[in-house]
Amino acid sequence: QVQLVESGGGLVQPGGSLRLSCAASASIFSMNAMGWYRQAPGKERELVATISGGDNTNYADSVKGRFTISRDSAKNTVYLQMNILKPEDTAVYYCNALLRLRSYWGQGTQVTVSS
């Protein structure tokens, strides 16, 4: 069983930045992959960014060049640095871990981009 706890969400103005953190209860070095997903009201959950293997990263087209996913294995934590935030980035952001074909989710953290 893997527990994931997100933090760092909040209210930010358009153009601003936030950094989300996801603390895992197990070694993230052992994970097949970790990632961030988001779900806006009335929409399906969508992939934002993933990191796997030797720091291989993948991003949704809508966030490329603005968001950066990274990890600190010593702290068992994955980060999502979000820059140049837009109102359309408003959503609940969820951390995900894939371990031996089983998927784990955090409880989510709200990000609201508004003036």
Side-chain angles (χ1 to χ4, degrees):
Q1 189 77 6
V2 178
Q3 293 181 331
L4 304 171
V5 179
E6 302 100 333
S7 61
L11 173 64
V12 63
Q13 292 186 342
S17 297
L18 281 176
R19 188 177 80 157
L20 305 183
S21 299
C22 171
S25 62
S27 170
I28 64 171
F29 183 78
S30 65
M31 304 296 176
N32 300 107
M34 294 194 71
W36 289 93
Y37 291 72
R38 67 186 181 186
Q39 188 167 17
K43 294 187 177 181
E44 294 186 353
R45 192 172 297 189
E46 64 177 2
L47 180 145
V48 176
T50 61
I51 187 166
S52 61
D55 286 340
N56 296 317
T57 58
N58 180 53
Y59 296 93
D61 287 343
S62 60
V63 306
K64 282 181 180 177
R66 299 188 297 123
F67 291 11
T68 303
I69 188 170
S70 62
R71 61 188 175 187
D72 185 335
S73 296
K75 296 182 178 180
N76 289 328
T77 300
V78 174
Y79 303 98
L80 185 68
Q81 178 67 44
M82 306 186 293
N83 299 326
I84 318 175
L85 282 161
K86 304 176 181 180
E88 51 263 44
D89 294 318
T90 296
V92 178
Y93 284 70
Y94 296 91
C95 181
N96 174 267
L98 183 63
L99 177 62
R100 292 191 287 272
L101 300 182
R102 186 169 179 179
S103 186
Y104 299 89
W105 295 93
Q107 82 288 350
T109 185
Q110 177 71 46
V111 172
T112 303
V113 185
S114 175
S115 55

